[in-house]
Structure formats: structure tokens, C-alpha cells
Amino acid sequence: VYLMSLVISGIISLASNVVEKYDSLLAFLIYIVVVLWLFYLLLQIMYAYRMVPYLIYDNPQLKVLDALKQSNKMMKGNKLLLFRIDISLFQWYIYAFILSLIFVVVGEYITSYFLLIIGGVLCIATILGTLLFLYPYICAISALFYEDLKAKSINKIAIDEALLEQNAEESATENNEIK
């Protein structure tokens, strides 16, 4: 993570040096492309290894590098689906933020200390409610996504083994026919 942040900060400083040196629209567009590309790479890495905690929990004897490889293999073709799920859940954070912002803005215009305290309590309750109820919900969805991926990978392994057995039987029959 530290190395990744160093690389990202280096590329961003390089892009900002380009903007300062040339001070043009093209340099700004290059900067935007570089930042979006880095964001894309960061998301790819985050989603590739998102299932590592679940894998290690299911298999405590699993080594970390093996868990990283297995998570990467499980997430191939599934990163976009999980990203869509996360985006759909992100709206709940937005709702909680807007609600707490409303309490803060309304609190600015309240002259009564009693109502001001009630507004502050409601703002804190909104934030805590988000953390207490929404975060476990998101964790449960991630766990269900992992269980679904695990079931798919087990089915794929079973299908692959059945195909291998079928191919072995066919090759054995072909060898017997040749003899």
C-alpha cells in the first residue's frame, strides 16, 4: 500500500509538473487521463483482492500469497458486478450525509439551545445509525457475494473434473479401439 501510494504520488507530481511547464489544455487533459487511469488501476487491485479476508477465514491454514492468488482467480470476470453492487449501496451513504447535513444547516438557524442540542443529537444519531446499520448490511452483502463466488468455483471445479474424467474415458476407449 505504501509503495502504491508512492507510485501514485510520483505520477501525480509528474503530471502536475507537466501542467505547470506547458500550462495548456493538452497538459490538463493528460493529467486527467493519468489520474483516471490510476483510479482504474487502484480499483482493479482493490477488487481483485477483496475476497482475501473471507478466504483466510474459511481456510485458516491458507497462506497469504495463496489467498491473494485465489482471490484474484475468483474475482476474474466478477469485479464489475461487485463494483455495481458497491455503487448501488453507496447511495445509502449519500442519503445519510444529506440528512446529517440538513440537521447541521437547520441547526445554524436555531436560536434555542434546546433545539440546537436536539439537532446535534439527530446529526450524530444519523451518522451512528449509518455506521451501526449500514456497515453490517454491506458486510453481509460482501459475504453473500463471496459465498456465491465460492459455490460457482466449486461447481466449476466439479464440471472441470467431470470433463477430465470424460476425456480420459474417451481416450481410453480410443486406445482400446486402436489396439
Side-chain angles (χ1 to χ4, degrees), residues 70-87:
Q70 195 169 355
S71 175
N72 195 13
K73 191 186 300 183
M74 285 175 81
M75 289 302 291
K76 276 199 190 327
N78 296 307
K79 293 176 198 157
L80 185 61
L81 178 62
L82 188 57
F83 180 73
R84 287 179 182 164
I85 291 171
D86 286 345
I87 291 297

Side-chain angles (χ1 to χ4, degrees), residues 103-115:
F103 289 137
V104 168
V105 169
V106 169
E108 292 286 325
Y109 297 105
I110 295 175
T111 56
S112 167
Y113 286 117
F114 178 71
L115 292 176

